Every structure is written in structure tokens, then in C-alpha cells.
């Protein structure tokens, strides 16, 4: 499976935008890019996913590089509730029966009031 | 909408005892999953089910069994618990098993085997 590289930690101030980077230089043409986050003592939470084009939803935006070797999760206005570990995950498109999510170490985002 | 519920929230279990962790979803999702989360190891897939009536093994299936008698329920059973099964267990579901579908997670069950 293709690997992702994320910074161990990042810090932001409340109400400021946050750009969380992810490198995935070995991504294959059919891998989906997924982002999840995990708040303290909670289960992982889906944030957003995309394949080639930039994506927006109510939680965040996903900017995907033209060569797809990197992507950036954008939180437009960070709140204290956004403090969490953010995981960038590649999901291969395959005909197999195992569609697990492979969580790496992620980026611990700290939001300062 | 409840989403995914798990029970119990936490449990202390003596080694050798049998335990079933319950998972129920109300989203009519076809696919369901069980993960365990251990410090430093991230989440690892135990078992999965692509649709009611079918199940499959994940990365760490030994010591665990599952069943999927209907769409909504996906119980995980530890036949004879061992201390290495001390972990936080998360159940998840997705509309379909494909990689373009997001997974929704329950709140987790914290299990301690003594």
C-alpha cells in the first residue's frame, strides 16, 4: 500500500485557517485520498475525501496537487473543537474484499484560544 | 439519528472469560468493520463484513469471531479473553465496502483483560 507522510504536530490559533499537509509520492492512479480525525477519547470521524479534483464540504476543503503526490486539508476557521489527530489515508481501488482504513500516526493539531 | 452504538462503554474482564462486544447501526449500511486501537500501533482491522450474511478476516483476527445475521448488527466475540486483547475497540460502517465510501465509527468500547 502507498504510504503517507504527515507532520507529527501543528499548532494554530482559534478562528485562523489551518493547512494540514500530507505527502503521498507513491500514490497510484486509482487511490482515493481520505482524511479522518480523532478527537480525544472518541472514535475516528470522517472529514473529507477526493480522487483528483479539489473537494469542499461543510467541515473542510481538500486541495489535491496536480500530480497527486501531495494534498492539503484546509480548515477555514479553526475552533477549539478542531483540536484532534488528523489522519491522511490512501485507499486503493481494488476488486478485493478488504477495504480497511490504514491509520498512520497522523498530525496532532493544537488550537490555541 | 443515532448512527453507530456500541456496548458496553467499558468492561473489565477476567482472562479466560467469554465476552461479546455489541455494535448496532441504524443507517442501513451494507459494510461493517471492527478495529482495535492500541497506543503506538494505530487502528488495526480485526474483521469486516461487506454485506449481511458474509464476514472476512482483517489484519488481526486471531482470538476473535464475528457474525452478521442482519444488516444492523455486527457483534464481536472474544471466546477466551487474554491480556493482550486489552484495547479500545471501534465498530464502523460504510454504505458500501468500496474505497470511495467513508466509514462512520462508533464511540468505542474500552476493554481491560486482567
Amino acid at each position: 500500500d502507498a504510504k503517507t507522510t504527515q507532520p507529527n504536530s501543528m499548532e494554530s490559533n482559534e478562528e485562523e485557517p489551518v493547512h494540514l499537509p500530507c505527502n503521498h509520492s507513491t500514490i497510484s492512479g486509482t487511490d482515493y485520498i481520505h482524511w479522518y480525525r480523532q478527537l480525544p477519547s472518541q472514535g475516528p470521524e470522517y472529514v473529507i475525501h477526493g480522487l483528483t479534483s479539489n473537494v469542499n464540504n461543510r467541515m473542510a476543503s481538500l486541495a489535491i496537487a496536480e500530480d497527486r503526490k501531495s494534498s492539503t486539508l484546509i480548515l477555514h476557521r479553526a475552533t477549539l473543537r478542531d483540536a484532534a489527530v488528523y489522519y491522511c489515508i490512501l485507499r486503493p481501488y481494488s476488486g478485493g474484499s478488504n477495504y480497511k482504513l490504514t491509520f498512520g500516526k497522523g498530525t496532532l493539531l493544537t488550537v490555541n484560544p | 439519528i443515532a448512527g453507530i452504538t456500541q456496548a458496553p462503554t467499558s468492561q473489565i474482564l477476567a482472562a479466560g472469560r467469554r465476552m461479546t462486544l455489541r455494535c448496532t447501526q441504524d443507517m442501513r449500511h451494507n459494510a461493517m468493520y471492527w478495529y482495535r486501537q492500541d497506543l503506538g500501533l494505530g487502528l488495526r482491522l480485526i474483521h469486516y463484513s461487506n454485506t449481511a450474511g458474509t464476514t472476512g478476516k482483517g489484519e488481526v483476527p486471531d482470538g476473535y469471531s464475528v457474525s452478521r445475521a442482519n444488516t444492523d448488527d455486527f457483534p464481536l466475540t472474544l471466546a477466551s479473553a487474554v491480556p493482550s486483547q486489552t484495547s479500545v475497540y471501534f465498530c464502523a460502517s460504510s454504505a458500501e465496502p468500496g474505497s470511495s465510501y467513508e466509514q462512520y465509527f462508533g464511540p468505542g468500547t474500552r476493554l481491560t483483560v486482567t
Side-chain angles (χ1 to χ4, degrees):
Chain A
D1 290 348
K3 292 183 184 273
T4 62
T5 304
Q6 298 177 253
N8 290 332
S9 62
M10 291 184 64
E11 205 168 319
S12 173
N13 295 320
E14 205 174 4
E15 298 191 5
E16 291 183 355
V18 181
H19 291 234
L20 295 162
C22 181
N23 288 317
H24 29 78
S25 58
T26 59
I27 190 172
S28 74
T30 54
D31 287 349
Y32 283 85
I33 302 163
H34 281 246
W35 283 83
Y36 285 76
R37 70 181 185 182
Q38 189 170 19
L39 279 66
S41 301
Q42 294 189 26
E45 177 185 27
Y46 167 78
V47 179
I48 200 167
H49 77 280
L51 185 60
T52 57
S53 303
N54 294 344
V55 185
N56 300 297
N57 66 21
R58 63 175 180 80
M59 289 183 70
S61 296
L62 176 60
I64 301 173
E66 196 170 332
D67 63 6
R68 298 206 334 122
K69 293 186 177 182
S70 66
S71 60
T72 302
L73 179 70
I74 302 165
L75 307 179
H76 295 287
R77 290 184 65 201
T79 68
L80 296 178
R81 194 198 172 277
D82 292 322
V85 178
Y86 286 79
Y87 298 97
C88 170
I89 300 168
L90 299 183
R91 300 193 68 192
Y93 180 85
S94 71
S97 57
N98 187 348
Y99 294 106
K100 66 180 180 183
L101 288 170
T102 301
F103 288 77
K105 295 190 175 179
T107 297
L108 175 63
L109 175 66
T110 301
V111 180
N112 300 314
Chain B
I1 297 176
I4 295 184
T5 57
Q6 292 185 238
T9 302
S10 64
Q11 182 76 44
I12 298 174
L13 186 68
R17 297 296 294 269
R18 180 184 179 89
M19 172 81 189
T20 294
L21 308 184
R22 299 184 298 279
C23 174
T24 300
Q25 53 105 355
D26 63 2
M27 298 174 282
R28 306 301 294 170
H29 283 176
N30 278 323
M32 297 187 75
Y33 314 84
W34 274 105
Y35 293 86
R36 59 177 289 175
Q37 185 170 33
D38 304 291
L39 198 62
L41 294 176
L43 276 83
R44 293 179 292 170
L45 183 69
I46 305 171
H47 284 287
Y48 65 93
S49 170
N50 287 340
T51 190
T54 69
T55 63
K57 295 182 179 180
E59 297 174 86
V60 289
D62 294 343
Y64 305 95
S65 64
V66 292
S67 62
R68 186 89 186 275
N70 57 60
T71 297
D72 299 343
D73 301 299
F74 191 42
L76 176 74
T77 298
L78 288 68
S80 179
V82 295
S84 62
Q85 292 177 311
T86 293
S87 186
V88 181
Y89 292 84
F90 291 104
C91 181
S93 72
S94 62
E96 298 293 342
S99 54
S100 64
Y101 293 91
E102 60 268 31
Q103 293 186 10
Y104 296 89
F105 286 79
T109 293
R110 184 174 296 273
L111 180 66
T112 302
V113 182
T114 60

